[in-house]
Amino acid sequence: MKILVCITNVPDTTAKISFTDNNTKFNKAGVQYIIGPYDDYALARAVELKEAQGGTITVLHVGEADSDPQIRKALAIGADDAIRVNTEPADSYYVATQIAHIAQQNSYDLILMGRESIDFNSGVVHGLVGEMLGIPSFSPVMKLDIKDGKAEFAREIDGGKEYLEATLPLVLGCQEPIAEWKIPNMRGIMTARTKPLQVVEPVSVDDMTSLESYSLPAPKGECKMIPVEEAEKLITLLRTEAKVL
Amino acid sequence: MSVLIFVELDNGTIKKTSQEAIFYGAKVADMLQTSATVLAIGQASEEALSSAGKFGAAKVLHAADDKLNHENSLAYADVLTQAVQQEGSKVVVMAKSGLGDAVAARSAAKLKASVVSGVTDLPEVTGGFKVKRGIYTGKAFATVEVKSDIKVLVVKKNAVEVAENDGNAQVESFSPTLRDSDFAATVKEVQKASSELSLTEADIIVSGGRGMKGPENWDPLVDLANALGAATGCSKPVSDLDWRPHHEHIGQTGIKVAPNLYIACGISGAIQHLAGVNGSKCIVVINKDPEAPFFKAADYGIVGDVFDVLPRLTKAVEATK
Ligand SMILES: Cc1cc2nc3c(=O)[nH]c(=O)nc-3n(C[C@H](O)[C@H](O)[C@H](O)COP(=O)(O)OP(=O)(O)OC[C@H]3O[C@@H](n4cnc5c(N)ncnc54)[C@H](O)[C@@H]3O)c2cc1C
Ligand SMILES: Nc1ncnc2c1ncn2[C@@H]1O[C@H](COP(=O)(O)O)[C@@H](O)[C@H]1O
């Protein structure tokens, strides 16, 4: 089985977000980057499937060279090789077009992604790629097994789960508890250095959106503290002051 | 030209988040001097659908083929694409949800349209079509100009303040061509807590963290939720420990919610949890540790023991009902 795992390179979940250049550039200073947490679940499940059933895992990232440490980490966790499309991603459509282009050349059985990136939070790249390739896509997937060329999986729906079955190839957006996050071991880190990381140039895509500016939310006002002996007052305040009851 | 709004149904009625999407779409239609058309897929009465008029829609296309009764993003995207083509729509609007994102993405790829997900405000339409969307899990916004001919917007809860009027929309049946590929997945089983209020739709959420100490202690929290007509949520460790079901887990790696009122009980307020609640209008924090980081993100705070405070709040709600 050939598995493609698409990963993002994103600011750590605790990173402080700020912008430079008149609010048109993300300020990378002092920010630590990680593999997107949902992408990490996708990768972890891919590694488990490979361990159980054999196959190969290719990691794909659309982005610039400063993502290479995260790509190496994915190789250390258990991917066999990696492809980086060397470009600054413009928007979801752009990224999806690059991923679909790579996928068309390699016929993967399974394309795993995260349910969403934690920088753009779109939750749409899997659907775009699925449609561009003319194959089904599902998200968010929280359980996945492969049997005889078929995927059996569970998808989260409003207030519950649904269990589905579909024939490969498929594009799936993953979330926990599909697998446990994996930490690279020493051997993984050593072998990752020599695994192939192919850098390819992007295909051209029509200009769909362009960034005007970034902004930050308005600062939160003071928190009104209510002494615990008067806790009941809260309900009155929520009714009369905050007007949310 | 018209603005097309895809709505989600729940037991034959238009979901609240989708009512907001209609209102949003109708506002955009006003700006573009066109009308708003709704696409509803699945079973619903004519009366329920014509209520889309209250939120500003002029017309409802209703695709009621029995094959479409089960929520299916592949088929729904196909239906939506055909509706957009029939109506010649240039702007497509839907509410943000797992289904909304999937339908938006697949129909955008079919229509060669750009898709902007997580829109938090009405667009600006003079001098280019510009929309604002949430990025970095609610920690920032980006304003983007959308240049493609067809634009697909996936709108977050509370992007607009809904006001109802007394209009009625005209309901027309819509019979799209369905393909085998739309039914590529077989549904084996659906597990749904049917009576439960869904977190993404709820106006009030009472949520518990590790400070609740164990699953056997959830009664006081559920009692308050019931008194308020609220949904219940939890932090990630709570669902990891199986104290509460996974679909209640709120935060960066869980569900993102935007209720009017979020009451956090025994939750420390880690940044990954805050990422899921920063769209809430009003946040109340009950925590015995005055240094808990959640207080910094709260509107009202009580430093105290949840097992003392929760029952008293429930009583106060019931006493003044
Ligand atoms: C990549 C990543 C993603 C994550 N995603 C999420 C996510 O989506 N959602 C999420 O919630 N977490 C997430 N986390 C975990 C997060 O960092 C925190 O560990 C978690 O939110 C803490 O949960 P908690 O507040 O319930 O528990 P704790 O941090 O243990 O806090 C318990 C709180 O309860 C208070 N307390 C104890 N007893 C009482 C009492 N009797 N009365 C009142 N207060 C009491 C304590 O003072 C404390 O503040 C993520 C972490 C990582 C690394
Ligand atoms: N630049 C990228 N390179 C590779 N994969 C990506 C990229 N952006 C998004 N993805 C994948 O698409 C998923 C959904 O992203 P999004 O639609 O941006 O929320 C992510 O979890 C990744 O798996």
Side-chain angles (χ1 to χ4, degrees):
Chain A
M1 187 166 53
K2 277 175 76 177
I3 308 176
L4 181 70
V5 180
C6 301
I7 63 165
T8 53
N9 175 41
V10 292
D12 174 53
T13 51
T14 58
K16 199 157 171 55
I17 306 298
S18 64
F19 303 101
T20 61
D21 292 42
N22 209 6
N23 285 325
T24 56
K25 280 218 160 54
F26 178 72
N27 182 5
K28 292 184 179 174
V31 171
Q32 196 175 344
Y33 279 79
I34 56 169
I35 298 174
Y38 298 108
D39 314 344
D40 233 353
Y41 286 121
L43 178 63
R45 188 62 193 142
V47 171
E48 290 171 0
L49 287 170
K50 179 187 153 177
E51 277 166 2
Q53 320 187 343
T56 57
I57 302 172
T58 300
V59 170
L60 172 58
H61 173 68
V62 181
E64 295 176 306
D66 51 5
S67 302
D68 285 351
Q70 272 58 255
I71 299 178
R72 289 283 171 208
K73 186 178 172 202
L75 291 168
I77 288 172
D80 299 285
D81 61 350
I83 303 171
R84 179 168 62 78
V85 181
N86 188 30
T87 176
E88 196 186 337
D91 57 28
S92 311
Y93 202 96
Y94 182 90
V95 169
T97 308
Q98 307 305 333
I99 295 175
H101 180 73
I102 299 288
Q104 264 149 1
Q105 296 170 328
N106 293 285
S107 60
Y108 299 100
D109 300 297
L110 197 55
I111 301 179
L112 299 184
M113 305 193 188
R115 79 176 278 177
E116 70 175 36
S117 58
I118 65 161
D119 49 0
F120 292 111
N121 309 109
S122 291
V124 297
V125 169
H126 19 77
L128 287 165
V129 170
E131 186 61 42
M132 287 172 182
L133 295 172
I135 61 176
S137 55
F138 298 94
S139 178
V141 173
M142 51 204 296
K143 185 177 179 299
L144 168 67
D145 286 301
I146 306 291
K147 276 188 201 127
D148 312 321
K150 270 196 175 157
E152 292 172 8
F153 56 102
R155 205 174 71 81
E156 187 163 85
I157 54 172
D158 229 11
K161 284 186 231 180
E162 79 182 0
Y163 293 85
L164 301 165
E165 191 179 278
T167 310
L168 302 182
L170 291 176
V171 183
L172 303 176
C174 306
Q175 72 168 27
E176 63 154 16
I178 195 164
E180 295 272 343
W181 280 329
K182 298 205 167 9
I183 304 164
N185 59 27
M186 211 47 213
R187 210 181 125 256
I189 295 167
M190 297 305 286
T191 54
R193 291 189 190 147
T194 55
K195 286 178 179 173
L197 192 177
Q198 192 193 344
V199 178
V200 301
E201 291 307 311
V203 290
S204 77
V205 182
D206 285 347
D207 197 8
M208 292 282 209
T209 61
S210 66
L211 177 85
E212 287 281 309
S213 64
Y214 294 116
S215 53
L216 294 171
K220 190 98 192 162
E222 276 285 287
C223 174
K224 194 168 206 168
M225 299 306 294
I226 299 160
V228 65
E229 21 337 312
E230 298 169 17
E232 289 81 359
K233 256 197 180 161
L234 172 72
I235 303 302
T236 317
L237 287 169
L238 291 175
R239 282 216 173 93
T240 55
E241 192 177 74
K243 299 194 167 59
V244 289
L245 285 186
Chain B
M1 192 173 98
S2 91
V3 170
L4 194 80
I5 302 117
F6 164 72
V7 297
E8 293 183 35
L9 300 174
D10 183 21
N11 278 321
T13 58
I14 300 174
K15 281 193 187 176
K16 221 161 90 206
T17 43
S18 288
Q19 295 174 353
E20 268 186 52
I22 300 173
F23 188 80
Y24 182 100
K27 286 272 172 215
V28 177
D30 278 348
M31 292 177 184
L32 300 174
Q33 294 170 358
T34 177
S35 60
T37 301
V38 162
L39 171 68
I41 305 176
Q43 300 308 314
S45 67
E46 180 160 340
E47 191 191 348
L49 294 178
S50 69
S51 75
K54 284 199 258 176
F55 308 99
K59 184 166 91 175
V60 178
L61 298 177
H62 185 203
D65 192 315
D66 275 339
K67 279 165 118 178
L68 297 170
N69 286 350
H70 183 77
E71 181 183 305
N72 172 345
S73 55
L74 304 178
Y76 286 16
D78 203 0
V79 175
L80 174 61
T81 304
Q82 293 173 52
V84 170
Q85 283 159 345
Q86 174 184 302
E87 299 292 308
S89 313
K90 296 294 182 197
V91 179
V92 181
V93 174
M94 62 202 82
K96 186 152 175 86
S97 72
L99 180 67
D101 277 331
V103 170
R106 292 199 68 108
S107 46
K110 286 179 205 273
L111 295 161
K112 303 229 175 331
S114 58
V115 47
V116 184
S117 181
V119 172
T120 56
D121 245 312
L122 286 167
E124 253 181 60
V125 298
T126 44
F129 191 99
K130 291 170 195 163
V131 284
K132 189 173 167 186
R133 61 182 295 254
I135 53 171
Y136 297 105
T137 322
K139 289 193 263 183
F141 302 96
T143 302
V144 293
E145 180 174 353
V146 192
K147 294 173 168 169
S148 54
D149 182 35
I150 301 178
K151 304 160 177 70
V152 180
L153 308 182
V154 188
V155 180
K156 269 191 163 174
K157 196 161 175 251
N158 294 338
V160 280
E161 193 80 45
V162 176
E164 294 184 27
N165 61 39
D166 49 14
N168 269 313
Q170 175 201 337
V171 182
E172 278 176 22
S173 82
F174 181 63
S175 312
T177 311
L178 298 175
R179 286 164 252 259
D180 286 348
S181 58
D182 294 335
F183 303 92
T186 317
V187 182
K188 294 272 156 189
E189 193 190 335
V190 180
Q191 287 174 358
K192 197 164 167 163
S194 57
S195 61
E196 246 169 89
L197 189 55
S198 109
L199 278 171
T200 46
E201 292 271 302
D203 283 331
I204 306 176
I205 295 171
V206 186
S207 191
R210 207 144 50 180
M212 296 295 295
K213 302 282 191 317
E216 68 283 3
N217 297 332
W218 238 259
D219 285 352
L221 189 154
V222 174
D223 289 345
L224 178 62
N226 288 342
L228 291 169
T232 54
C234 67
S235 68
K236 174 166 152 58
V238 164
S239 70
D240 285 350
L241 291 163
D242 272 333
W243 293 0
R244 300 294 294 174
H246 181 266
H247 65 257
E248 282 197 1
H249 152 203
I250 292 172
Q252 175 115 52
T253 45
I255 305 186
K256 280 146 204 101
V257 296
N260 290 336
L261 175 59
Y262 186 81
I263 304 181
C265 313
I267 305 178
S268 58
I271 193 153
Q272 296 93 354
H273 187 81
L274 297 183
V277 303
N278 52 22
S280 310
K281 275 196 194 147
C282 178
I283 294 179
V284 172
V285 170
I286 306 164
N287 195 305
K288 69 174 185 192
D289 173 8
E291 301 299 322
F294 218 148
F295 286 117
K296 290 206 178 65
D299 299 281
Y300 297 96
I302 298 176
V303 176
D305 186 327
V306 281
F307 302 111
D308 161 42
V309 175
L310 284 173
R312 286 169 52 204
L313 293 180
T314 307
K315 263 199 201 133
V317 173
E318 281 168 349
T320 54
K321 248 187 187 162

